[in-house]
Amino acid sequence: MVVAASAVVAVGTVTGMIKALDDERGANEARPDATGATLLVPLPDVPSTRLSTKASSSASTSAKPKKTTAPSPTRTGKKQSATVSPSLYRHPESQVLDWVRAHPDDPRTEVIESRIADRPAAVWFADFTPSTITSRVRAVTSGAAAQGRVPVVVPYAIPDRDCGGASEGGASGFDAYDGWIDNFAAGLGSREVVVILEPDSIAQADCLSDAQRAYRFEALARAGRVLKAADPKARVYYDAGHSDWNPAAQQAALLKQAGAASADSSDGIFSNVSNFHATSAEIAYDRQVLDALGGSAGLGAVIDTSRNGNGAPADGQWCDPAGRKIGRAPTLNTGEARIDGYLWVKLPGESDGCRGAAGTFTASYAYDLAR
């Protein structure tokens, strides 16, 4: 498990964030661990002290703030939510929504519901289930299509995932992974969808041998081509780590090997998944990576802003760190050149494994992040 401040890697991705899993509801229903929702008010990089962010346990190095026992205001005078990005999709099934529905009278519910559960967030597919992945992806994309919205989906089954860390797992080999991606792509449909392709798969590839890394990058390049061929409107983004991980030129060289510079497989890069670095730092870093990457002039970047509202901890803590806050609202309209979106890839309230079991929703943590 890599925990160095200079390369805080995502731990607990498979168990955290939003996953689509088979359960008693049936294989055709996508079941994320948690979902985001329409946003309240766009937040600055360092929001007011009234709002505290939470970390969600997803793929990359995530962090969470301390839990708070102070209840939220009573459920009167609910704040009005501002329109953030009408185009982004909020999946109706998640751990946070389950909690909200089960606790209508909890004094924290209003804050958690309005500032986390009602915001659009990514849906993770972290379990290797080739027989049902198509139907589960289709359940998400068709649900979004029915609302005229854009879903964000996260394929997360690369072999040797997380270098054997807390989020280990994935396909048993690259032939199996290729087949899984084929089935994943078959569920995309024909409308716009944002694909966050395999968090940590490139930035964290230093644990692999040269041969293993070559196989992984070949599989990622193929995955991008397959996804975009299946749905020409799909927007596929590749792993750029974050601004405090690999230097931009080094990351760009790795990305190029994985096909991220090719318009046939890529729409650009993503950064800060499950991490806490300020949006301004990620914008600057992503532009440096894109400049070094070259390729199509249309390549852009998306940034995970789910819990970066107070920036990253100075000590590099990645596991549910204290003092974090939710960040900017999910939107595909950033107003920033080459920055295609601010997304909630990891959902606030899902633990990295320190405030609660990895991947599980913890109300006290969510409340502390959101209030």
Side-chain angles (χ1 to χ4, degrees):
M1 179 184 302
V2 181
V3 296
S6 61
V8 186
V9 294
V11 177
T13 302
V14 56
T15 53
M17 216 40 215
I18 305 180
K19 300 179 289 186
L21 303 173
D22 289 324
D23 63 9
E24 66 276 8
R25 304 182 186 212
N28 291 327
E29 180 174 351
R31 175 66 178 169
D33 281 343
T35 180
T38 58
L39 182 109
L40 250 188
V41 180
L43 301 174
D45 285 341
V46 183
S48 70
T49 55
R50 293 187 302 110
L51 299 175
S52 71
T53 22
K54 263 184 143 183
S56 75
S57 64
S58 74
S60 42
T61 58
S62 59
K64 293 190 176 186
K66 287 184 178 179
K67 302 177 182 181
T68 177
T69 56
S72 69
T74 58
R75 292 176 63 86
T76 60
K78 187 173 183 178
K79 293 186 178 182
Q80 292 186 347
S81 60
T83 301
V84 178
S85 181
S87 62
L88 283 170
Y89 176 61
R90 184 200 65 139
H91 190 57
E93 294 293 336
S94 70
Q95 289 189 87
V96 63
L97 281 171
D98 283 349
W99 185 89
V100 166
R101 292 161 184 157
H103 299 85
D105 299 321
D106 191 293
R108 300 166 297 182
T109 299
E110 179 186 350
V111 167
I112 292 174
E113 180 178 18
S114 63
R115 303 188 187 186
I116 295 178
D118 284 344
R119 303 186 184 189
V123 179
W124 290 67
F125 296 84
D127 55 327
F128 182 71
T129 51
S131 64
T132 61
I133 189 63
T134 299
S135 61
R136 292 185 293 114
V137 173
R138 184 178 295 126
V140 174
T141 57
S142 62
Q147 296 182 16
R149 294 176 179 265
V150 179
V152 179
V153 295
V154 185
Y156 190 59
I158 198 76
D160 298 312
R161 185 177 61 200
D162 196 32
C163 294
S167 295
E168 67 178 340
S172 59
F174 288 105
D175 287 343
Y177 180 74
D178 289 348
W180 186 83
I181 282 291
D182 291 345
N183 292 341
F184 189 104
L188 292 179
S190 59
R191 298 174 64 98
E192 186 176 4
V193 55
V194 174
V195 183
I196 305 299
L197 181 61
E198 298 291 346
D200 295 339
S201 59
I202 298 175
Q204 197 183 9
D206 56 355
C207 70
L208 305 173
S209 68
D210 290 344
Q212 290 172 324
R213 190 179 301 116
Y215 281 127
R216 173 177 286 191
F217 290 169
E218 180 181 353
L220 290 171
R222 178 189 181 276
R225 292 193 301 270
V226 168
L227 293 165
K228 292 186 69 64
D231 179 5
K233 293 184 179 179
R235 297 161 62 174
V236 180
Y237 295 91
Y238 282 71
D239 170 40
H242 57 67
S243 58
D244 196 33
W245 201 332
N246 295 325
Q250 176 183 338
Q251 189 63 32
L254 297 173
L255 283 157
K256 189 172 294 186
Q257 294 177 54
S262 171
D264 291 336
S265 56
S266 171
D267 290 270
I269 61 175
F270 62 83
S271 71
N272 209 42
V273 168
S274 301
N275 218 291
F276 315 94
H277 297 282
T279 302
S280 57
E282 294 306 300
I283 289 173
Y285 173 74
D286 288 347
R287 287 172 176 164
Q288 291 173 1
V289 173
L290 289 169
D291 286 345
L293 181 62
S296 169
L299 296 181
V302 293
I303 299 168
D304 186 352
T305 59
S306 60
R307 54 186 189 176
N308 72 343
N310 202 27
D315 61 1
Q317 176 60 250
W318 58 266
C319 186
D320 300 343
R324 301 314 96 199
K325 298 183 182 300
I326 54 176
R328 296 192 183 195
T331 181
L332 297 177
N333 302 300
T334 69
E336 293 282 351
R338 307 201 79 178
I339 306 302
D340 296 344
Y342 303 136
L343 305 176
W344 281 20
V345 182
K346 182 178 178 80
L347 192 69
E350 291 187 4
S351 177
D352 297 326
C354 293
R355 303 284 172 185
T360 61
F361 178 77
T362 304
S364 57
Y365 181 48
Y367 176 72
D368 192 45
L369 284 168
R371 68 188 177 91

mmCIF file of all heavy atoms in Angstrom, residues 248 252 269 271 279-294 299-301 303 334-340 342:
data_model
loop_
_atom_site.group_PDB
_atom_site.id
_atom_site.type_symbol
_atom_site.label_atom_id
_atom_site.label_comp_id
_atom_site.label_asym_id
_atom_site.label_seq_id
_atom_site.Cartn_x
_atom_site.Cartn_y
_atom_site.Cartn_z
ATOM 1 N N ALA A 248 4.363 16.077 -14.433
ATOM 2 C CA ALA A 248 3.484 16.107 -15.602
ATOM 3 C C ALA A 248 4.095 15.405 -16.814
ATOM 4 O O ALA A 248 3.416 14.639 -17.514
ATOM 5 C CB ALA A 248 3.134 17.552 -15.941
ATOM 6 N N ALA A 252 2.572 12.132 -18.595
ATOM 7 C CA ALA A 252 2.180 12.212 -20.000
ATOM 8 C C ALA A 252 2.824 11.095 -20.816
ATOM 9 O O ALA A 252 2.187 10.518 -21.713
ATOM 10 C CB ALA A 252 2.560 13.573 -20.570
ATOM 11 N N ILE A 269 -7.915 13.185 -20.071
ATOM 12 C CA ILE A 269 -7.415 12.630 -18.815
ATOM 13 C C ILE A 269 -8.332 13.005 -17.647
ATOM 14 O O ILE A 269 -9.134 13.932 -17.735
ATOM 15 C CB ILE A 269 -5.997 13.151 -18.517
ATOM 16 C CG1 ILE A 269 -6.006 14.687 -18.368
ATOM 17 C CG2 ILE A 269 -5.019 12.712 -19.612
ATOM 18 C CD1 ILE A 269 -4.673 15.291 -17.945
ATOM 19 N N SER A 271 -8.113 13.495 -13.174
ATOM 20 C CA SER A 271 -7.181 13.592 -12.055
ATOM 21 C C SER A 271 -7.924 13.772 -10.744
ATOM 22 O O SER A 271 -9.103 14.113 -10.716
ATOM 23 C CB SER A 271 -6.198 14.758 -12.259
ATOM 24 O OG SER A 271 -6.842 16.013 -12.105
ATOM 25 N N THR A 279 -8.760 22.405 -6.653
ATOM 26 C CA THR A 279 -9.119 22.451 -8.067
ATOM 27 C C THR A 279 -8.112 23.279 -8.860
ATOM 28 O O THR A 279 -7.729 22.903 -9.971
ATOM 29 C CB THR A 279 -10.530 23.032 -8.232
ATOM 30 O OG1 THR A 279 -11.457 22.228 -7.489
ATOM 31 C CG2 THR A 279 -10.953 23.050 -9.687
ATOM 32 N N SER A 280 -7.681 24.391 -8.310
ATOM 33 C CA SER A 280 -6.727 25.244 -9.027
ATOM 34 C C SER A 280 -5.420 24.502 -9.310
ATOM 35 O O SER A 280 -4.834 24.642 -10.398
ATOM 36 C CB SER A 280 -6.453 26.509 -8.214
ATOM 37 O OG SER A 280 -5.966 26.185 -6.917
ATOM 38 N N ALA A 281 -4.955 23.698 -8.347
ATOM 39 C CA ALA A 281 -3.738 22.926 -8.546
ATOM 40 C C ALA A 281 -3.934 21.868 -9.621
ATOM 41 O O ALA A 281 -3.036 21.618 -10.447
ATOM 42 C CB ALA A 281 -3.301 22.272 -7.237
ATOM 43 N N GLU A 282 -5.101 21.231 -9.629
ATOM 44 C CA GLU A 282 -5.379 20.200 -10.626
ATOM 45 C C GLU A 282 -5.518 20.789 -12.025
ATOM 46 O O GLU A 282 -5.081 20.189 -13.012
ATOM 47 C CB GLU A 282 -6.635 19.423 -10.237
ATOM 48 C CG GLU A 282 -6.485 18.600 -8.972
ATOM 49 C CD GLU A 282 -5.288 17.649 -9.035
ATOM 50 O OE1 GLU A 282 -5.261 16.778 -9.933
ATOM 51 O OE2 GLU A 282 -4.380 17.799 -8.207
ATOM 52 N N ILE A 283 -6.137 21.955 -12.126
ATOM 53 C CA ILE A 283 -6.261 22.603 -13.435
ATOM 54 C C ILE A 283 -4.878 22.865 -14.021
ATOM 55 O O ILE A 283 -4.597 22.546 -15.190
ATOM 56 C CB ILE A 283 -7.055 23.923 -13.315
ATOM 57 C CG1 ILE A 283 -8.534 23.627 -13.031
ATOM 58 C CG2 ILE A 283 -6.920 24.758 -14.594
ATOM 59 C CD1 ILE A 283 -9.352 24.872 -12.737
ATOM 60 N N ALA A 284 -3.993 23.448 -13.224
ATOM 61 C CA ALA A 284 -2.652 23.750 -13.705
ATOM 62 C C ALA A 284 -1.902 22.471 -14.091
ATOM 63 O O ALA A 284 -1.249 22.403 -15.149
ATOM 64 C CB ALA A 284 -1.877 24.513 -12.630
ATOM 65 N N TYR A 285 -2.017 21.459 -13.240
ATOM 66 C CA TYR A 285 -1.332 20.197 -13.513
ATOM 67 C C TYR A 285 -1.886 19.512 -14.759
ATOM 68 O O TYR A 285 -1.125 19.062 -15.627
ATOM 69 C CB TYR A 285 -1.476 19.277 -12.302
ATOM 70 C CG TYR A 285 -0.966 17.873 -12.516
ATOM 71 C CD1 TYR A 285 0.396 17.604 -12.560
ATOM 72 C CD2 TYR A 285 -1.850 16.802 -12.669
ATOM 73 C CE1 TYR A 285 0.873 16.317 -12.750
ATOM 74 C CE2 TYR A 285 -1.386 15.514 -12.855
ATOM 75 C CZ TYR A 285 -0.023 15.271 -12.901
ATOM 76 O OH TYR A 285 0.441 13.993 -13.095
ATOM 77 N N ASP A 286 -3.187 19.443 -14.879
ATOM 78 C CA ASP A 286 -3.788 18.761 -16.020
ATOM 79 C C ASP A 286 -3.417 19.438 -17.334
ATOM 80 O O ASP A 286 -3.177 18.765 -18.348
ATOM 81 C CB ASP A 286 -5.308 18.721 -15.863
ATOM 82 C CG ASP A 286 -5.757 17.758 -14.779
ATOM 83 O OD1 ASP A 286 -4.930 16.953 -14.319
ATOM 84 O OD2 ASP A 286 -6.933 17.813 -14.379
ATOM 85 N N ARG A 287 -3.356 20.748 -17.338
ATOM 86 C CA ARG A 287 -2.945 21.446 -18.561
ATOM 87 C C ARG A 287 -1.497 21.136 -18.912
ATOM 88 O O ARG A 287 -1.156 20.987 -20.096
ATOM 89 C CB ARG A 287 -3.152 22.952 -18.395
ATOM 90 C CG ARG A 287 -4.618 23.360 -18.439
ATOM 91 C CD ARG A 287 -4.809 24.812 -18.090
ATOM 92 N NE ARG A 287 -6.212 25.227 -18.214
ATOM 93 C CZ ARG A 287 -6.706 26.342 -17.692
ATOM 94 N NH1 ARG A 287 -5.909 27.169 -17.011
ATOM 95 N NH2 ARG A 287 -7.986 26.640 -17.847
ATOM 96 N N GLN A 288 -0.653 20.999 -17.907
ATOM 97 C CA GLN A 288 0.735 20.627 -18.160
ATOM 98 C C GLN A 288 0.816 19.220 -18.748
ATOM 99 O O GLN A 288 1.591 18.970 -19.683
ATOM 100 C CB GLN A 288 1.541 20.706 -16.869
ATOM 101 C CG GLN A 288 1.750 22.108 -16.343
ATOM 102 C CD GLN A 288 2.406 22.128 -14.965
ATOM 103 O OE1 GLN A 288 2.718 21.059 -14.406
ATOM 104 N NE2 GLN A 288 2.615 23.305 -14.417
ATOM 105 N N VAL A 289 0.023 18.308 -18.189
ATOM 106 C CA VAL A 289 0.014 16.941 -18.704
ATOM 107 C C VAL A 289 -0.481 16.920 -20.143
ATOM 108 O O VAL A 289 0.108 16.268 -21.016
ATOM 109 C CB VAL A 289 -0.856 16.031 -17.818
ATOM 110 C CG1 VAL A 289 -1.008 14.655 -18.461
ATOM 111 C CG2 VAL A 289 -0.259 15.895 -16.430
ATOM 112 N N LEU A 290 -1.567 17.640 -20.412
ATOM 113 C CA LEU A 290 -2.116 17.672 -21.769
ATOM 114 C C LEU A 290 -1.129 18.272 -22.756
ATOM 115 O O LEU A 290 -0.987 17.787 -23.888
ATOM 116 C CB LEU A 290 -3.423 18.451 -21.776
ATOM 117 C CG LEU A 290 -4.612 17.768 -21.088
ATOM 118 C CD1 LEU A 290 -5.769 18.746 -20.933
ATOM 119 C CD2 LEU A 290 -5.065 16.538 -21.858
ATOM 120 N N ASP A 291 -0.434 19.326 -22.355
ATOM 121 C CA ASP A 291 0.561 19.924 -23.240
ATOM 122 C C ASP A 291 1.669 18.931 -23.562
ATOM 123 O O ASP A 291 2.123 18.823 -24.706
ATOM 124 C CB ASP A 291 1.166 21.176 -22.590
ATOM 125 C CG ASP A 291 0.212 22.358 -22.587
ATOM 126 O OD1 ASP A 291 -0.796 22.313 -23.330
ATOM 127 O OD2 ASP A 291 0.463 23.316 -21.832
ATOM 128 N N ALA A 292 2.117 18.189 -22.547
ATOM 129 C CA ALA A 292 3.183 17.209 -22.748
ATOM 130 C C ALA A 292 2.686 15.989 -23.519
ATOM 131 O O ALA A 292 3.453 15.352 -24.244
ATOM 132 C CB ALA A 292 3.754 16.778 -21.400
ATOM 133 N N LEU A 293 1.405 15.685 -23.362
ATOM 134 C CA LEU A 293 0.830 14.520 -24.032
ATOM 135 C C LEU A 293 0.719 14.724 -25.522
ATOM 136 O O LEU A 293 0.933 13.788 -26.314
ATOM 137 C CB LEU A 293 -0.555 14.224 -23.435
ATOM 138 C CG LEU A 293 -1.321 13.031 -23.983
ATOM 139 C CD1 LEU A 293 -0.559 11.730 -23.739
ATOM 140 C CD2 LEU A 293 -2.711 12.957 -23.323
ATOM 141 N N GLY A 294 0.387 15.952 -25.949
ATOM 142 C CA GLY A 294 0.198 16.191 -27.367
ATOM 143 C C GLY A 294 -1.077 15.529 -27.851
ATOM 144 O O GLY A 294 -2.060 15.440 -27.127
ATOM 145 N N LEU A 299 -8.379 17.149 -26.851
ATOM 146 C CA LEU A 299 -8.251 16.437 -25.582
ATOM 147 C C LEU A 299 -8.406 17.409 -24.411
ATOM 148 O O LEU A 299 -7.876 18.510 -24.421
ATOM 149 C CB LEU A 299 -6.886 15.747 -25.489
ATOM 150 C CG LEU A 299 -6.587 14.637 -26.493
ATOM 151 C CD1 LEU A 299 -5.211 14.053 -26.231
ATOM 152 C CD2 LEU A 299 -7.651 13.554 -26.446
ATOM 153 N N GLY A 300 -9.147 16.955 -23.392
ATOM 154 C CA GLY A 300 -9.376 17.786 -22.212
ATOM 155 C C GLY A 300 -9.182 16.987 -20.945
ATOM 156 O O GLY A 300 -8.634 15.882 -20.959
ATOM 157 N N ALA A 301 -9.651 17.536 -19.838
ATOM 158 C CA ALA A 301 -9.476 16.886 -18.539
ATOM 159 C C ALA A 301 -10.725 17.056 -17.701
ATOM 160 O O ALA A 301 -11.448 18.041 -17.824
ATOM 161 C CB ALA A 301 -8.279 17.481 -17.794
ATOM 162 N N ILE A 303 -11.893 16.643 -13.458
ATOM 163 C CA ILE A 303 -11.296 16.657 -12.127
ATOM 164 C C ILE A 303 -12.307 16.195 -11.094
ATOM 165 O O ILE A 303 -13.459 16.649 -11.104
ATOM 166 C CB ILE A 303 -10.813 18.082 -11.778
ATOM 167 C CG1 ILE A 303 -9.751 18.549 -12.780
ATOM 168 C CG2 ILE A 303 -10.274 18.149 -10.349
ATOM 169 C CD1 ILE A 303 -9.433 20.034 -12.686
ATOM 170 N N THR A 334 -17.340 24.145 -16.990
ATOM 171 C CA THR A 334 -16.409 24.694 -16.014
ATOM 172 C C THR A 334 -15.992 26.132 -16.314
ATOM 173 O O THR A 334 -15.519 26.831 -15.414
ATOM 174 C CB THR A 334 -15.127 23.843 -15.943
ATOM 175 O OG1 THR A 334 -14.395 23.997 -17.173
ATOM 176 C CG2 THR A 334 -15.464 22.372 -15.718
ATOM 177 N N GLY A 335 -16.087 26.541 -17.568
ATOM 178 C CA GLY A 335 -15.609 27.865 -17.936
ATOM 179 C C GLY A 335 -14.098 27.948 -18.001
ATOM 180 O O GLY A 335 -13.535 29.033 -18.152
ATOM 181 N N GLU A 336 -13.419 26.821 -17.895
ATOM 182 C CA GLU A 336 -11.964 26.764 -17.922
ATOM 183 C C GLU A 336 -11.492 26.051 -19.187
ATOM 184 O O GLU A 336 -11.987 24.968 -19.523
ATOM 185 C CB GLU A 336 -11.420 26.011 -16.698
ATOM 186 C CG GLU A 336 -11.640 26.711 -15.378
ATOM 187 C CD GLU A 336 -10.644 27.837 -15.161
ATOM 188 O OE1 GLU A 336 -9.695 27.953 -15.959
ATOM 189 O OE2 GLU A 336 -10.823 28.583 -14.180
ATOM 190 N N ALA A 337 -10.545 26.653 -19.877
ATOM 191 C CA ALA A 337 -10.019 26.053 -21.094
ATOM 192 C C ALA A 337 -9.439 24.676 -20.813
ATOM 193 O O ALA A 337 -8.684 24.483 -19.860
ATOM 194 C CB ALA A 337 -8.940 26.955 -21.693
ATOM 195 N N ARG A 338 -9.830 23.709 -21.626
ATOM 196 C CA ARG A 338 -9.342 22.331 -21.583
ATOM 197 C C ARG A 338 -9.790 21.547 -20.352
ATOM 198 O O ARG A 338 -9.379 20.398 -20.169
ATOM 199 C CB ARG A 338 -7.809 22.263 -21.711
ATOM 200 C CG ARG A 338 -7.258 22.987 -22.920
ATOM 201 C CD ARG A 338 -5.885 22.511 -23.297
ATOM 202 N NE ARG A 338 -5.953 21.240 -24.031
ATOM 203 C CZ ARG A 338 -4.881 20.610 -24.530
ATOM 204 N NH1 ARG A 338 -3.669 21.111 -24.321
ATOM 205 N NH2 ARG A 338 -5.010 19.471 -25.184
ATOM 206 N N ILE A 339 -10.617 22.133 -19.530
ATOM 207 C CA ILE A 339 -11.167 21.418 -18.373
ATOM 208 C C ILE A 339 -12.626 21.109 -18.699
ATOM 209 O O ILE A 339 -13.489 21.982 -18.670
ATOM 210 C CB ILE A 339 -11.050 22.242 -17.083
ATOM 211 C CG1 ILE A 339 -9.593 22.688 -16.859
ATOM 212 C CG2 ILE A 339 -11.552 21.426 -15.902
ATOM 213 C CD1 ILE A 339 -8.584 21.552 -16.771
ATOM 214 N N ASP A 340 -12.907 19.856 -19.013
ATOM 215 C CA ASP A 340 -14.216 19.455 -19.514
ATOM 216 C C ASP A 340 -15.262 19.294 -18.418
ATOM 217 O O ASP A 340 -16.457 19.331 -18.700
ATOM 218 C CB ASP A 340 -14.108 18.128 -20.276
ATOM 219 C CG ASP A 340 -13.247 18.236 -21.519
ATOM 220 O OD1 ASP A 340 -12.985 19.378 -21.972
ATOM 221 O OD2 ASP A 340 -12.834 17.177 -22.037
ATOM 222 N N TYR A 342 -16.044 19.141 -13.790
ATOM 223 C CA TYR A 342 -15.785 18.835 -12.392
ATOM 224 C C TYR A 342 -16.773 17.744 -12.031
ATOM 225 O O TYR A 342 -17.992 17.918 -12.173
ATOM 226 C CB TYR A 342 -16.011 20.052 -11.494
ATOM 227 C CG TYR A 342 -15.192 21.271 -11.847
ATOM 228 C CD1 TYR A 342 -15.765 22.533 -11.861
ATOM 229 C CD2 TYR A 342 -13.837 21.150 -12.155
ATOM 230 C CE1 TYR A 342 -15.008 23.658 -12.177
ATOM 231 C CE2 TYR A 342 -13.069 22.261 -12.470
ATOM 232 C CZ TYR A 342 -13.661 23.516 -12.484
ATOM 233 O OH TYR A 342 -12.909 24.628 -12.794
#
